[in-house]
Structures are given as structure tokens and as C-alpha cells.
Amino acid sequence: ALPDVFTNGPPGPSNMLHSLKRDHDEFRRLYQRYQDLSVSDERTAVANQLLKGISIHDVLEIRFLYPEIEKVNGGHADHAREEHLLIRTNLKKLESMNCSDPNYSTLLHETMKNLFDHIEEEETVLFPEIQQAIGMAQIERLGASMDSARSSVPTQPHPS
């Protein structure tokens, strides 16, 4: 079984942005691993881990990060939520497909491209914006709440 990093926060002091960034790095690592493997049980396991991680991460950002962004910049929050909805919709399709289906890799690739574009925007625009607006103490408090919520978050995407 693959290590389940997504149900626990990273080691060290709680920090919402570090915790989310750790997930982002893990998505990059898992997707690279998926691409390196040929169709196999291991590849399916990697894909499933990736989908589960993205689903958990989605809920955490919607619950903890976006309400804070909303206070600072409503337009950014709305845009980010729209991107999440698109990704969530694709995850739902992927969950109903077999990993060996030739369309699976195409849809996963498209989903990951959208996700990585979204992550780039979060890490370069939203994270600095939020850090400046709410300060480290609040980022640490939110990180602690978020990381303790990780283990109870649904692991399937639920399009809203």
C-alpha cells in the first residue's frame, strides 16, 4: 500500500499554507510516478491514491482556505472555486472509469494539467495574498484545525 500522507498533516508546527503546499508537492510526485508506470495494478494504486488525495485536499481548501481568501479578494475566491468544481467533476468521471480504459489517461492528464495550473496560481498569488492579510498566527491556527480535520474528510469527490 502507498503511504497515506493526505490524512495527516506534515511534521513540524502547524501551518495551513505549508500543509497545502506539501499536498501539492505530493500530487506532482504521484502524477510523475503514474506517468512512469505502464498499465498495471501498481499504476492503478497510484492513480487511486492521487484521486483520494485531491478529494481530501479539495474539501480542506474549500473549508479552510477559501473563506479566508473570500475576506481578502472575493473575485479570487470565486475563480478558485470554479476551478475546483471543474476538477471535482473530472474526478467523479475518473472514479467511474477503469484505469485501463484508454480514455482514463487522457482525462487524468487534462485534470492534472488544470490542477497544476490552479496550484501555480495558488502558490504564486493566493498564498502570499493570504499570508499578508491574516498573518502567521492565524495561518498556524487554521493549519492546526485543518490538519486535525484531514482524517475525517470524505475521500470521494462530491460535485456541488
Coordinates of all heavy atoms in Angstrom, one line a residue, residues 57-135:
H57 N -7.9 17.1 -0.3 CA -7.4 18.5 -0.4 C -8.4 19.5 -0.8 O -8.5 20.6 -0.3 CB -6.2 18.4 -1.5 CG -5.5 19.7 -1.6 ND1 -4.4 20.0 -0.8 CD2 -5.6 20.7 -2.5 CE1 -3.9 21.1 -1.2 NE2 -4.6 21.6 -2.3
D58 N -9.3 19.1 -1.8 CA -10.4 19.9 -2.3 C -11.3 20.4 -1.1 O -11.5 21.5 -0.9 CB -11.2 19.1 -3.3 CG -12.5 19.8 -3.7 OD1 -12.5 21.0 -4.1 OD2 -13.5 19.1 -3.6
V59 N -11.7 19.4 -0.3 CA -12.6 19.7 0.8 C -11.9 20.7 1.8 O -12.5 21.6 2.3 CB -13.0 18.4 1.6 CG1 -13.8 18.8 2.8 CG2 -13.9 17.6 0.6
L60 N -10.6 20.4 2.1 CA -9.8 21.2 3.1 C -9.7 22.7 2.6 O -9.9 23.6 3.3 CB -8.5 20.6 3.3 CG -8.4 19.3 4.0 CD1 -7.0 18.7 4.0 CD2 -9.0 19.3 5.4
E61 N -9.4 22.8 1.3 CA -9.3 24.2 0.8 C -10.6 24.9 0.8 O -10.6 26.1 1.2 CB -8.7 24.2 -0.7 CG -7.2 23.9 -0.7 CD -6.5 24.2 -2.0 OE1 -7.2 24.3 -3.0 OE2 -5.3 24.3 -2.0
I62 N -11.6 24.3 0.4 CA -13.0 24.9 0.4 C -13.4 25.3 1.8 O -13.9 26.3 2.1 CB -14.0 23.9 -0.2 CG1 -13.7 23.6 -1.7 CG2 -15.5 24.5 0.0 CD1 -14.0 24.6 -2.7
R63 N -13.1 24.4 2.8 CA -13.5 24.6 4.2 C -12.6 25.6 4.9 O -13.1 26.4 5.7 CB -13.5 23.3 4.9 CG -14.3 23.4 6.2 CD -14.2 22.1 7.0 NE -14.9 21.0 6.3 CZ -14.8 19.7 6.7 NH1 -14.1 19.4 7.8 NH2 -15.4 18.8 6.0
F64 N -11.3 25.6 4.7 CA -10.4 26.4 5.5 C -9.7 27.6 4.7 O -9.6 28.7 5.3 CB -9.2 25.5 6.1 CG -9.8 24.5 7.1 CD1 -10.1 23.2 6.7 CD2 -10.0 24.9 8.4 CE1 -10.6 22.3 7.6 CE2 -10.5 24.0 9.3 CZ -10.8 22.7 8.9
L65 N -9.3 27.4 3.5 CA -8.5 28.4 2.8 C -9.5 29.5 2.1 O -9.3 30.7 2.3 CB -7.7 27.8 1.7 CG -6.8 28.7 0.8 CD1 -5.8 29.5 1.7 CD2 -6.1 28.0 -0.3
Y66 N -10.5 29.0 1.4 CA -11.3 29.9 0.6 C -12.1 30.9 1.4 O -12.3 32.0 1.0 CB -12.1 29.2 -0.4 CG -11.2 28.5 -1.5 CD1 -11.6 27.5 -2.2 CD2 -9.9 29.0 -1.7 CE1 -10.7 26.9 -3.2 CE2 -9.0 28.5 -2.6 CZ -9.4 27.4 -3.3 OH -8.6 26.9 -4.2
P67 N -12.6 30.5 2.6 CA -13.3 31.6 3.4 C -12.4 32.7 3.8 O -12.8 33.9 3.8 CB -13.7 30.8 4.7 CG -13.9 29.4 4.2 CD -12.8 29.2 3.2
E68 N -11.1 32.4 3.9 CA -10.1 33.5 4.2 C -9.8 34.3 3.0 O -9.7 35.5 3.1 CB -8.8 32.9 4.7 CG -8.9 32.1 6.1 CD -9.5 32.9 7.2 OE1 -9.1 34.1 7.3 OE2 -10.3 32.4 8.0
I69 N -9.7 33.7 1.8 CA -9.5 34.4 0.6 C -10.7 35.3 0.3 O -10.6 36.4 -0.2 CB -9.2 33.4 -0.6 CG1 -7.9 32.7 -0.3 CG2 -9.2 34.1 -1.9 CD1 -7.5 31.6 -1.3
E70 N -11.9 34.7 0.5 CA -13.1 35.5 0.3 C -13.1 36.9 1.0 O -13.5 37.9 0.4 CB -14.3 34.6 0.9 CG -15.7 35.2 0.7 CD -16.1 35.0 -0.8 OE1 -16.0 33.8 -1.3 OE2 -16.6 36.0 -1.4
K71 N -12.6 36.9 2.2 CA -12.5 38.1 3.0 C -11.5 39.1 2.4 O -11.7 40.3 2.5 CB -12.0 37.9 4.4 CG -12.9 37.0 5.3 CD -12.3 36.7 6.6 CE -12.9 35.5 7.3 NZ -12.1 35.0 8.4
V72 N -10.5 38.6 1.7 CA -9.4 39.4 1.1 C -9.8 39.8 -0.3 O -9.6 41.0 -0.7 CB -8.1 38.7 1.1 CG1 -7.0 39.5 0.6 CG2 -7.8 38.2 2.5
N73 N -10.2 38.8 -1.1 CA -10.5 39.1 -2.5 C -11.5 38.1 -3.0 O -11.2 37.0 -3.4 CB -9.2 38.9 -3.3 CG -9.3 39.3 -4.7 OD1 -10.3 39.1 -5.4 ND2 -8.2 39.9 -5.3
G74 N -12.8 38.5 -3.0 CA -13.9 37.7 -3.4 C -13.8 37.1 -4.8 O -14.2 36.0 -5.1
G75 N -13.3 38.0 -5.7 CA -13.1 37.5 -7.1 C -12.1 36.3 -7.2 O -12.4 35.4 -7.9
H76 N -11.0 36.4 -6.5 CA -10.1 35.3 -6.4 C -10.7 34.0 -5.9 O -10.5 32.9 -6.4 CB -8.8 35.6 -5.6 CG -7.9 36.5 -6.3 ND1 -6.8 37.0 -5.7 CD2 -7.9 37.0 -7.6 CE1 -6.1 37.8 -6.6 NE2 -6.8 37.8 -7.7
A77 N -11.5 34.2 -4.8 CA -12.2 33.0 -4.2 C -13.2 32.4 -5.2 O -13.2 31.2 -5.3 CB -12.9 33.5 -2.9
D78 N -13.9 33.2 -5.9 CA -14.9 32.7 -6.8 C -14.2 31.9 -8.0 O -14.6 30.8 -8.3 CB -15.8 33.8 -7.4 CG -16.7 34.4 -6.4 OD1 -16.9 33.8 -5.4 OD2 -17.2 35.6 -6.7
H79 N -13.2 32.5 -8.5 CA -12.4 31.9 -9.6 C -11.8 30.5 -9.1 O -11.9 29.5 -9.8 CB -11.3 32.8 -10.0 CG -10.4 32.3 -11.0 ND1 -10.8 32.0 -12.3 CD2 -9.1 31.9 -11.0 CE1 -9.7 31.5 -13.0 NE2 -8.7 31.4 -12.2
A80 N -11.2 30.5 -7.9 CA -10.7 29.3 -7.4 C -11.7 28.2 -7.2 O -11.5 27.0 -7.5 CB -9.9 29.6 -6.1
R81 N -12.9 28.6 -6.7 CA -14.0 27.6 -6.5 C -14.5 27.0 -7.8 O -14.8 25.9 -7.9 CB -15.1 28.3 -5.8 CG -14.9 28.5 -4.3 CD -16.2 28.8 -3.6 NE -15.9 29.2 -2.2 CZ -15.8 30.5 -1.8 NH1 -16.1 31.5 -2.6 NH2 -15.6 30.8 -0.5
E82 N -14.5 27.9 -8.9 CA -14.9 27.4 -10.2 C -13.9 26.4 -10.7 O -14.3 25.3 -11.3 CB -15.0 28.6 -11.2 CG -16.2 29.4 -11.1 CD -16.1 30.7 -11.9 OE1 -15.4 30.8 -12.9 OE2 -16.8 31.7 -11.5
E83 N -12.6 26.6 -10.5 CA -11.6 25.7 -10.9 C -11.7 24.4 -10.2 O -11.6 23.3 -10.7 CB -10.2 26.3 -10.7 CG -9.9 27.4 -11.7 CD -8.5 28.0 -11.6 OE1 -8.0 28.0 -10.5 OE2 -8.1 28.5 -12.6
H84 N -12.0 24.5 -8.9 CA -12.2 23.3 -8.1 C -13.4 22.4 -8.6 O -13.3 21.2 -8.6 CB -12.5 23.6 -6.6 CG -11.2 23.7 -5.8 ND1 -10.9 22.8 -4.8 CD2 -10.1 24.5 -5.9 CE1 -9.7 23.1 -4.3 NE2 -9.3 24.2 -4.9
L85 N -14.5 23.1 -8.9 CA -15.7 22.4 -9.4 C -15.3 21.6 -10.7 O -15.7 20.5 -10.8 CB -16.8 23.4 -9.7 CG -18.1 22.8 -10.1 CD1 -18.6 21.7 -9.1 CD2 -19.2 23.8 -10.4
L86 N -14.6 22.2 -11.6 CA -14.2 21.6 -12.9 C -13.4 20.3 -12.5 O -13.6 19.2 -13.1 CB -13.4 22.5 -13.7 CG -12.8 22.0 -15.0 CD1 -13.9 21.6 -16.0 CD2 -11.8 22.9 -15.6
I87 N -12.4 20.5 -11.7 CA -11.5 19.3 -11.3 C -12.3 18.3 -10.6 O -12.2 17.1 -10.9 CB -10.4 19.8 -10.4 CG1 -9.4 20.7 -11.2 CG2 -9.6 18.7 -9.8 CD1 -8.4 21.6 -10.5
R88 N -13.2 18.7 -9.7 CA -14.1 17.7 -9.0 C -15.0 16.9 -9.9 O -15.2 15.7 -9.8 CB -14.9 18.5 -8.0 CG -15.4 17.7 -6.8 CD -16.2 18.5 -5.8 NE -15.5 19.7 -5.4 CZ -16.0 20.9 -5.3 NH1 -17.3 21.1 -5.7 NH2 -15.3 22.0 -5.0
T89 N -15.5 17.6 -10.9 CA -16.4 17.0 -11.9 C -15.6 15.9 -12.7 O -16.0 14.8 -12.9 CB -17.0 18.0 -12.9 OG1 -17.7 19.0 -12.1 CG2 -17.9 17.4 -13.9
N90 N -14.3 16.2 -13.1 CA -13.5 15.2 -13.7 C -13.1 14.1 -12.8 O -13.1 12.9 -13.3 CB -12.2 15.9 -14.2 CG -12.4 16.7 -15.5 OD1 -13.5 16.6 -16.1 ND2 -11.4 17.4 -16.0
L91 N -12.9 14.4 -11.5 CA -12.5 13.3 -10.6 C -13.7 12.3 -10.5 O -13.5 11.1 -10.5 CB -12.3 13.8 -9.2 CG -11.0 14.6 -8.9 CD1 -10.9 15.0 -7.5 CD2 -9.8 13.9 -9.4
K92 N -14.9 12.8 -10.5 CA -16.1 12.0 -10.4 C -16.1 11.0 -11.7 O -16.4 9.8 -11.5 CB -17.3 12.9 -10.4 CG -18.6 12.2 -9.8 CD -18.5 12.0 -8.3 CE -19.6 11.1 -7.8 NZ -19.2 10.4 -6.5
K93 N -15.8 11.6 -12.9 CA -15.8 10.8 -14.1 C -14.7 9.7 -14.0 O -14.9 8.5 -14.3 CB -15.5 11.6 -15.3 CG -16.7 12.5 -15.7 CD -16.3 13.3 -16.9 CE -17.3 14.5 -17.1 NZ -16.7 15.6 -18.0
L94 N -13.5 10.1 -13.5 CA -12.4 9.2 -13.4 C -12.7 8.0 -12.4 O -12.4 6.9 -12.7 CB -11.1 9.9 -12.9 CG -10.5 10.8 -14.0 CD1 -9.5 11.8 -13.3 CD2 -9.8 10.0 -15.0
E95 N -13.4 8.4 -11.3 CA -13.8 7.3 -10.4 C -14.7 6.2 -11.0 O -14.6 5.1 -10.5 CB -14.5 8.0 -9.2 CG -13.6 8.8 -8.3 CD -13.8 8.5 -6.9 OE1 -14.9 8.4 -6.4 OE2 -12.8 8.4 -6.2
S96 N -15.5 6.6 -12.0 CA -16.4 5.6 -12.6 C -15.7 4.9 -13.7 O -16.3 4.0 -14.3 CB -17.6 6.3 -13.0 OG -17.3 7.2 -14.1
M97 N -14.5 5.2 -14.1 CA -13.8 4.6 -15.2 C -12.8 3.5 -14.7 O -12.4 3.6 -13.5 CB -13.0 5.6 -16.0 CG -13.9 6.6 -16.7 SD -13.0 8.0 -17.4 CE -12.4 7.3 -18.9
N98 N -12.4 2.6 -15.6 CA -11.4 1.7 -15.2 C -10.0 2.3 -15.6 O -10.0 2.9 -16.7 CB -11.6 0.4 -16.0 CG -10.7 -0.7 -15.4 OD1 -9.5 -0.5 -15.4 ND2 -11.3 -1.8 -15.1
C99 N -9.0 2.2 -14.8 CA -7.7 2.7 -15.1 C -7.1 2.3 -16.4 O -6.3 2.9 -17.0 CB -6.8 2.4 -13.9 SG -5.4 3.5 -13.8
S100 N -7.5 1.1 -16.9 CA -7.0 0.5 -18.1 C -7.8 1.1 -19.4 O -7.3 0.9 -20.5 CB -7.1 -1.0 -18.1 OG -8.4 -1.4 -17.9
D101 N -8.9 1.8 -19.1 CA -9.6 2.4 -20.2 C -8.7 3.5 -20.9 O -8.1 4.3 -20.2 CB -10.9 3.1 -19.6 CG -11.7 3.8 -20.6 OD1 -11.2 4.3 -21.6 OD2 -13.0 3.8 -20.4
P102 N -8.6 3.4 -22.2 CA -7.7 4.3 -22.9 C -8.0 5.8 -22.7 O -7.1 6.7 -22.7 CB -7.8 4.0 -24.4 CG -8.7 2.8 -24.5 CD -9.2 2.5 -23.1
N103 N -9.3 6.1 -22.4 CA -9.7 7.5 -22.1 C -9.3 7.9 -20.7 O -9.3 9.1 -20.5 CB -11.2 7.6 -22.3 CG -11.7 7.3 -23.7 OD1 -11.0 7.7 -24.7 ND2 -12.8 6.7 -23.9
Y104 N -9.0 7.0 -19.9 CA -8.7 7.3 -18.5 C -7.5 8.2 -18.4 O -7.5 9.3 -17.8 CB -8.5 6.0 -17.7 CG -8.3 6.3 -16.2 CD1 -9.3 6.2 -15.3 CD2 -7.0 6.6 -15.7 CE1 -9.1 6.5 -14.0 CE2 -6.8 6.8 -14.3 CZ -7.9 6.8 -13.5 OH -7.7 7.0 -12.1
S105 N -6.4 7.8 -19.1 CA -5.1 8.6 -19.0 C -5.3 10.0 -19.6 O -4.8 10.9 -19.1 CB -4.0 7.8 -19.8 OG -3.3 7.1 -18.9
T106 N -6.1 10.1 -20.7 CA -6.4 11.3 -21.3 C -7.1 12.3 -20.4 O -6.7 13.4 -20.2 CB -7.2 11.1 -22.6 OG1 -6.6 10.2 -23.4 CG2 -7.4 12.4 -23.4
L107 N -8.1 11.8 -19.7 CA -8.9 12.6 -18.8 C -8.1 12.9 -17.6 O -8.1 14.1 -17.1 CB -10.2 11.9 -18.4 CG -11.1 12.7 -17.5 CD1 -11.5 14.1 -18.1 CD2 -12.4 11.9 -17.1
L108 N -7.3 12.0 -17.1 CA -6.4 12.3 -15.9 C -5.4 13.3 -16.3 O -5.1 14.3 -15.5 CB -5.7 11.0 -15.4 CG -4.8 11.2 -14.2 CD1 -5.7 11.6 -13.0 CD2 -4.1 9.9 -13.8
H109 N -4.8 13.2 -17.5 CA -3.8 14.2 -17.9 C -4.4 15.6 -18.0 O -3.9 16.6 -17.5 CB -3.2 13.8 -19.3 CG -2.2 14.8 -19.8 ND1 -1.0 15.0 -19.2 CD2 -2.3 15.8 -20.7 CE1 -0.3 16.0 -19.9 NE2 -1.2 16.5 -20.8
E110 N -5.6 15.7 -18.5 CA -6.3 17.0 -18.6 C -6.6 17.5 -17.2 O -6.4 18.7 -16.9 CB -7.6 16.8 -19.4 CG -8.5 18.0 -19.6 CD -9.8 17.7 -20.1 OE1 -10.0 16.9 -21.1 OE2 -10.8 18.2 -19.6
T111 N -7.1 16.7 -16.3 CA -7.4 17.0 -15.0 C -6.1 17.5 -14.2 O -6.2 18.6 -13.5 CB -8.0 15.8 -14.2 OG1 -9.1 15.4 -14.9 CG2 -8.4 16.2 -12.8
M112 N -5.0 16.8 -14.4 CA -3.8 17.2 -13.7 C -3.2 18.5 -14.3 O -2.7 19.3 -13.5 CB -2.8 16.1 -13.8 CG -3.2 14.8 -13.1 SD -3.8 15.0 -11.4 CE -2.3 15.5 -10.6
K113 N -3.4 18.7 -15.6 CA -3.0 20.0 -16.2 C -3.7 21.1 -15.5 O -3.2 22.1 -15.1 CB -3.1 20.0 -17.7 CG -2.5 21.2 -18.3 CD -2.8 21.3 -19.8 CE -2.2 22.6 -20.4 NZ -2.3 23.8 -19.5
N114 N -5.1 21.0 -15.5 CA -5.9 22.0 -14.8 C -5.5 22.2 -13.4 O -5.4 23.3 -12.9 CB -7.4 21.6 -14.9 CG -8.0 21.7 -16.3 OD1 -7.5 22.4 -17.1 ND2 -9.0 20.9 -16.5
L115 N -5.3 21.1 -12.7 CA -4.9 21.2 -11.3 C -3.5 21.9 -11.1 O -3.4 22.8 -10.2 CB -4.8 19.8 -10.7 CG -4.4 19.7 -9.2 CD1 -5.5 20.3 -8.3 CD2 -4.1 18.3 -8.8
F116 N -2.6 21.6 -11.9 CA -1.2 22.2 -11.8 C -1.3 23.7 -12.1 O -0.6 24.5 -11.5 CB -0.2 21.4 -12.6 CG 0.1 20.0 -12.1 CD1 0.4 19.0 -12.9 CD2 0.1 19.8 -10.7 CE1 0.6 17.7 -12.4 CE2 0.3 18.5 -10.2 CZ 0.6 17.4 -11.1
D117 N -2.1 24.1 -13.1 CA -2.3 25.5 -13.4 C -2.9 26.2 -12.2 O -2.5 27.3 -11.8 CB -3.2 25.7 -14.6 CG -2.5 25.3 -15.9 OD1 -1.3 25.1 -15.9 OD2 -3.2 25.2 -16.9
H118 N -3.9 25.6 -11.6 CA -4.6 26.1 -10.4 C -3.6 26.2 -9.2 O -3.6 27.2 -8.5 CB -5.8 25.1 -10.1 CG -6.4 25.4 -8.8 ND1 -7.3 26.5 -8.6 CD2 -6.4 24.8 -7.6 CE1 -7.8 26.5 -7.4 NE2 -7.3 25.5 -6.7
I119 N -2.8 25.2 -9.0 CA -1.8 25.2 -7.9 C -0.8 26.3 -8.1 O -0.4 27.0 -7.1 CB -1.1 23.8 -7.9 CG1 -2.0 22.7 -7.2 CG2 0.2 23.9 -7.1 CD1 -1.5 21.3 -7.3
E120 N -0.4 26.5 -9.3 CA 0.6 27.5 -9.7 C 0.1 28.9 -9.2 O 0.7 29.7 -8.6 CB 0.9 27.5 -11.2 CG 1.8 28.6 -11.7 CD 3.3 28.3 -11.2 OE1 3.6 27.2 -10.9 OE2 4.1 29.3 -11.2
E121 N -1.2 29.1 -9.5 CA -1.9 30.4 -9.2 C -2.0 30.5 -7.6 O -1.8 31.6 -7.1 CB -3.3 30.3 -9.8 CG -3.9 31.7 -10.1 CD -5.2 31.6 -10.9 OE1 -5.3 30.6 -11.7 OE2 -6.0 32.5 -10.7
E122 N -2.4 29.4 -7.0 CA -2.5 29.4 -5.5 C -1.1 29.8 -4.9 O -1.1 30.7 -4.0 CB -2.9 28.1 -5.0 CG -4.4 27.9 -5.1 CD -4.9 26.6 -4.4 OE1 -4.0 25.7 -4.1 OE2 -6.1 26.4 -4.2
E123 N -0.1 29.1 -5.3 CA 1.2 29.3 -4.7 C 1.8 30.6 -5.0 O 2.5 31.2 -4.1 CB 2.1 28.1 -5.1 CG 1.7 26.8 -4.5 CD 2.6 25.6 -4.8 OE1 3.6 25.8 -5.6 OE2 2.3 24.5 -4.3
T124 N 1.6 31.2 -6.2 CA 2.2 32.5 -6.5 C 1.3 33.7 -6.2 O 1.9 34.8 -5.9 CB 2.6 32.5 -8.0 OG1 1.4 32.3 -8.8 CG2 3.6 31.5 -8.4
V125 N 0.0 33.5 -6.2 CA -0.9 34.7 -5.9 C -1.6 34.6 -4.6 O -1.5 35.4 -3.7 CB -1.9 34.9 -7.1 CG1 -2.8 36.0 -6.8 CG2 -1.2 35.0 -8.4
L126 N -2.4 33.5 -4.4 CA -3.3 33.4 -3.3 C -2.6 33.2 -2.0 O -2.9 33.8 -1.0 CB -4.3 32.3 -3.5 CG -5.2 32.4 -4.7 CD1 -6.2 31.2 -4.7 CD2 -5.9 33.7 -4.8
F127 N -1.6 32.3 -1.9 CA -0.9 32.1 -0.7 C -0.2 33.3 -0.1 O -0.4 33.7 1.0 CB 0.1 30.9 -0.8 CG -0.5 29.5 -0.8 CD1 -1.9 29.4 -0.9 CD2 0.3 28.4 -0.8 CE1 -2.5 28.1 -1.0 CE2 -0.3 27.1 -0.8 CZ -1.6 27.0 -1.0
P128 N 0.6 34.1 -1.0 CA 1.2 35.3 -0.5 C 0.1 36.3 -0.1 O 0.3 37.0 0.9 CB 2.0 35.8 -1.7 CG 2.2 34.6 -2.6 CD 1.0 33.7 -2.3
E129 N -1.0 36.4 -0.8 CA -2.0 37.3 -0.5 C -2.6 37.1 0.9 O -2.8 38.0 1.7 CB -3.1 37.2 -1.6 CG -4.2 38.2 -1.7 CD -5.0 38.0 -2.9 OE1 -5.8 37.1 -3.0 OE2 -4.9 38.8 -3.9
I130 N -2.9 35.8 1.1 CA -3.5 35.4 2.4 C -2.5 35.6 3.6 O -2.8 36.0 4.7 CB -4.0 33.9 2.3 CG1 -5.3 33.8 3.2 CG2 -3.1 32.9 2.7 CD1 -6.5 34.5 2.7
Q131 N -1.2 35.2 3.3 CA -0.2 35.4 4.4 C -0.1 36.8 4.8 O 0.0 37.1 6.0 CB 1.1 34.8 3.9 CG 2.2 34.8 5.0 CD 3.3 33.8 4.6 OE1 3.2 33.0 3.7 NE2 4.4 34.0 5.4
Q132 N -0.1 37.7 3.8 CA 0.0 39.1 4.2 C -1.3 39.6 4.9 O -1.2 40.4 5.8 CB 0.2 39.9 2.9 CG 0.6 41.3 3.1 CD 0.9 42.1 1.9 OE1 0.7 41.6 0.8 NE2 1.3 43.4 2.0
A133 N -2.4 39.1 4.5 CA -3.7 39.6 5.0 C -4.0 39.1 6.4 O -4.5 39.9 7.2 CB -4.8 39.2 4.1
I134 N -3.7 37.8 6.7 CA -4.2 37.3 8.0 C -3.0 37.0 9.0 O -3.3 36.8 10.2 CB -5.1 36.0 7.8 CG1 -4.3 34.8 7.3 CG2 -6.3 36.3 7.0 CD1 -5.1 33.6 7.3
G135 N -1.8 37.0 8.5 CA -0.7 36.8 9.4 C -0.4 35.4 9.8 O -1.3 34.5 9.7

